[in-house]
Amino acid sequence: DAKTTQPPSMDCAEGRAANLPCNHSTISGNEYVYWYRQIHSQGPQYIIHGLKNNETNEMASLIITEDRKSSTLILPHATLRDTAVYYCIVGNKLVFGAGTILRVKS
Amino acid sequence: DGGITQSPKYLFRKEGQNVTLSCEQNLNHDAMYWYRQDPGQGLRLIYYSQIVNDFQKGDIAEGYSVSREKKESFPLTVTSAQKNPTAFYLCASSIGVRDRIILGKLFFGSGTQLSVL
């Protein structure tokens, strides 16, 4: 199973871009990268997913490196409400690691 | 609005008691899941179900039981055999699952916090 590595925590200033990295060096060719986030005491929420190309939706952008061994979730203008735990999932498997705690500060 | 409803939001269990957590979805999803989350930790899979009348153990099934009699419902019972039940329990659904790979996106409920009296 492809494993992911995320930093345990990150800080970001309100209004600035938040860039959350995820390493997945053992990813297989047909495995998608999914991102979810969990605000305190709520269920996780889907953000975005991608295979090879960069993806953008109303919530975020996903940048996947050419070798697919890592990706970055970008929140272009972080707000205080973006403070949450962000999970990177490879292969859409049933495993959620500890994720990255993003703290957006005013 | 379609979604997943978990109830109750908070639940207390007495020593030796079984308790049942409710999970209902109206998304017409075939697959449903139960996860457990301890403070500061990720999510751990308890049970999942691919289809009505079928379910599989996840990574931490001991002390838990489930049923899937209807497509919309996937209740979780925390039995007295579960010695450390205090945790946040999350139910989720997706259009399907195959070989432990989720088909489509996961949709989560708002969770049930279970505590021991």
Side-chain angles (χ1 to χ4, degrees), chain B residues 86-105:
Chain B
T86 297
F88 188 53
Y89 290 87
L90 286 159
C91 179
S93 73
S94 71
I95 57 173
V97 62
R98 190 187 310 129
D99 297 330
R100 291 181 62 115
I101 296 175
I102 304 159
L103 304 178
K105 309 168 194 173

Side-chain angles (χ1 to χ4, degrees), chain A:
Chain A
D1 283 356
K3 293 185 179 178
T4 61
T5 304
Q6 298 179 255
S9 65
M10 295 181 64
D11 290 341
C12 178
E14 189 178 19
R16 304 298 293 267
N19 298 298
L20 293 95
C22 180
N23 285 324
H24 33 77
S25 58
T26 59
I27 191 170
S28 300
N30 61 350
E31 290 184 319
Y32 282 77
V33 179
Y34 277 75
W35 284 82
Y36 290 81
R37 75 177 183 185
Q38 184 179 23
I39 295 170
H40 184 61
S41 296
Q42 296 183 24
Q45 173 193 25
Y46 165 85
I47 302 173
I48 198 167
H49 72 283
L51 182 64
K52 295 181 183 178
N53 301 319
N54 299 337
E55 302 288 345
T56 296
N57 64 19
E58 65 279 3
M59 291 183 68
S61 295
L62 175 60
I63 309 296
I64 302 174
T65 58
E66 195 167 337
D67 63 8
R68 303 209 329 117
K69 292 185 177 182
S70 66
S71 59
T72 301
L73 179 75
I74 301 172
L75 308 179
H77 305 286
T79 71
L80 297 178
R81 280 180 282 188
D82 291 322
T83 293
V85 179
Y86 288 77
Y87 299 99
C88 171
I89 312 284
V90 166
N92 218 13
K93 296 198 172 67
L94 298 170
V95 178
F96 280 71
T100 296
I101 299 171
L102 175 67
R103 299 184 189 90
V104 180
K105 300 184 176 182
S106 58

Side-chain angles (χ1 to χ4, degrees), chain B residues 15-80:
Chain B
E15 200 74 36
Q17 185 183 45
N18 293 352
V19 292
T20 298
L21 284 61
S22 170
C23 178
E24 304 275 333
Q25 55 100 358
N26 61 6
L27 299 166
N28 200 32
H29 284 168
D30 282 325
M32 297 187 74
Y33 315 81
W34 275 104
Y35 286 92
R36 168 181 171 140
Q37 187 173 35
D38 293 283
Q41 311 269 329
L43 281 62
R44 291 187 290 168
L45 183 67
I46 305 173
Y47 269 98
Y48 68 99
S49 168
Q50 293 178 255
I51 201 166
V52 174
N53 293 324
D54 179 70
F55 47 83
Q56 284 80 40
K57 292 183 180 180
D59 302 317
I60 55 164
E62 187 174 347
Y64 300 96
S65 66
V66 293
S67 63
R68 185 88 188 275
E69 297 176 2
K70 297 188 301 182
K71 187 175 186 177
E72 301 79 20
S73 178
F74 191 40
L76 173 74
T77 297
V78 184
T79 74
S80 57

